[in-house]
Amino acid sequence: MRPVIVDSAIYRDGRRTDGPADLSDALDEARATGDAFLWVGLHEPTEAEFAHVSREFALHPLAVEDALKAHQRPKLEVYDDSLFAVLKPVVYEPESDRVSTDELMVFIGDSFVVTVRHGEGAPLAAVRKRLEAEPQVLRHGPTAVLYAISDAVVDHYLDVAAELQVDLEELEADVFAPAGASPARTAERIYNAKRQVLEFRRASVPLSGPMARLTTGAVPFVHDNAVPFFRDVNDHLLRANELVEGLDRLLSDVLSAHLAQMGVRQNDDMRKISAWAAMAAVPTMVAGIYGMNFDHMPELHWVGSYPAVLLLMAGIVVGLYRLFKRRGWM
């Protein structure tokens, strides 16, 4: 169990205190005074490793199953002895412009908080450090932990949305540049950006329901005086969802514009090809007529017929070239 439990501490009156190493004894000590709670943090536990924790805190089997599988939508579930929340932190990788999601489960009950982290993007270490530096917040108990975790996850949504906005502006500039990348490469970049936005939406949009419930003040194990704080988190989440929806729509518009540009370029290419083919058809036609080898054809025995025909073909070609050039086909 030692490598799985990242951190475990008792917080009394908002300050960290040393407690028993045994989880059962630590929980009893936290509940004895009434002004303390135990916060246990775990990282990717197996079923056998998590079994001891689930027994000590009497966690619901369905919630334990969800915490172990780690492929859940953001949600909020209320059980008899605990509250179970699932959040999906988003990680932006600037080297590859890739968005990935991790999973974070939070159990809240009588004088305890259990957090289960899957992946490396969950900001629990920073959240715990920030809360320990703000005992006036931490003294509100497990509700303060849930609020701080939600606030950190949602605020990072806004940061990732800003990064994606920068990437999209660069992509948009490349699409409308006079001499941009190849059409196939540009389309691939647009579709990759669409996938990143979709991954973002899978994490942020489903969280709207749980956050809205936390703003009602009717959720067990959550203090009513925390409602304004969760309302603030919900406002940030709504803004993040609006940003990601805007990014998705803008990407669709950029893709449509790119496809339209490809169609225009293809039309330009076809006009140019048609213009050159028309200019090549004139001398070909004249040469074909005088290459039929009939004995009785006009101008065959005229001394100036050869240069006259050449001048005629050149004149027609020059005239067609000027006509096509004036109309923008060349």
Side-chain angles (χ1 to χ4, degrees):
M1 289 298 300
R2 188 54 51 189
V4 178
I5 298 180
V6 178
D7 200 352
S8 177
I10 295 176
Y11 295 90
R12 181 173 288 104
D13 195 28
R15 300 188 181 278
R16 181 171 181 145
T17 61
D18 295 331
D22 183 76
L23 294 180
S24 180
D25 295 339
L27 182 59
D28 290 340
E29 180 177 328
R31 287 173 173 172
T33 58
D35 62 346
F37 69 94
L38 174 65
W39 182 358
V40 179
L42 301 96
H43 180 236
E44 297 182 353
T46 64
E47 182 176 356
E49 292 167 338
F50 197 50
H52 173 66
V53 177
S54 62
R55 285 195 306 269
E56 294 296 337
F57 294 95
L59 304 180
H60 197 278
L62 293 178
V64 171
E65 181 182 357
D66 290 343
L68 291 173
K69 287 187 176 180
H71 292 289
Q72 308 297 321
R73 286 168 53 90
K75 62 181 180 179
L76 186 68
E77 299 286 350
V78 178
Y79 298 100
D80 293 337
D81 299 322
S82 62
L83 177 70
F84 177 61
V86 178
L87 301 94
K88 295 181 76 70
V90 174
V91 180
Y92 176 78
E93 301 172 5
E95 297 81 8
S96 59
D97 296 335
R98 180 175 176 269
V99 172
S100 60
T101 56
D102 296 326
E103 293 196 27
L104 181 59
M105 289 76 171
V106 183
F107 295 87
I108 291 181
D110 180 17
S111 300
F112 73 84
V113 177
V114 176
T115 54
V116 181
R117 178 167 58 94
H118 292 269
E120 301 299 330
L124 286 185
V127 170
R128 189 186 287 260
K129 184 176 180 180
R130 189 186 74 184
L131 283 175
E132 290 177 353
E134 300 177 353
Q136 70 278 8
V137 177
L138 196 56
R139 66 167 51 100
H140 290 88
T143 301
V145 177
L146 179 60
Y147 157 72
I149 292 174
S150 303
D151 184 58
V153 170
V154 172
D155 282 350
H156 195 59
Y157 285 169
L158 296 173
D159 296 336
V160 173
E163 295 286 352
L164 291 177
Q165 180 68 42
V166 173
D167 292 343
L168 182 54
E169 290 174 356
E170 295 176 356
L171 178 59
E172 189 177 16
D174 291 342
V175 168
F176 292 103
S182 64
R185 175 60 181 162
T186 301
E188 180 183 358
R189 291 179 60 196
I190 295 174
Y191 279 114
N192 284 336
K194 290 278 285 184
R195 283 199 296 268
Q196 307 316 313
V197 172
L198 178 60
E199 186 72 14
F200 194 156
R201 290 183 61 184
R202 288 173 178 169
S204 65
V205 174
L207 188 58
S208 298
M211 280 295 113
R213 288 181 61 189
L214 288 171
T215 62
T216 62
V219 180
F221 305 103
V222 176
H223 294 301
D224 293 341
N225 56 10
V227 168
F229 299 95
F230 284 111
R231 189 178 296 123
D232 180 68
V233 175
N234 190 51
D235 289 341
H236 291 178
L237 178 61
L238 292 176
R239 183 148 54 96
N241 287 336
E242 289 174 356
L243 289 174
V244 74
E245 292 290 344
L247 291 174
D248 189 50
R249 288 194 300 269
L250 187 55
L251 275 171
S252 298
D253 293 341
V254 169
L255 179 59
S256 299
H258 173 64
L259 296 177
Q261 280 188 331
M262 290 182 61
V264 170
R265 290 170 185 166
Q266 289 176 349
N267 289 336
D268 289 341
D269 293 340
M270 289 301 300
R271 283 199 298 265
K272 292 177 181 179
I273 293 172
S274 299
W276 284 108
M279 289 187 294
V282 173
T284 302
M285 179 187 68
V286 175
I289 292 174
Y290 283 92
M292 292 187 293
N293 296 322
F294 289 112
D295 291 333
H296 304 286
M297 292 183 66
E299 295 90 20
L300 284 179
H301 301 290
W302 180 40
V303 176
S305 60
Y306 178 70
V309 169
L310 290 180
L311 289 174
L312 175 64
M313 291 189 294
I316 295 176
V317 170
V318 171
L320 288 174
Y321 178 82
R322 295 182 63 182
L323 175 63
F324 293 144
K325 189 74 172 179
R326 187 166 57 249
R327 294 187 176 182
W329 285 33
M330 300 295 294

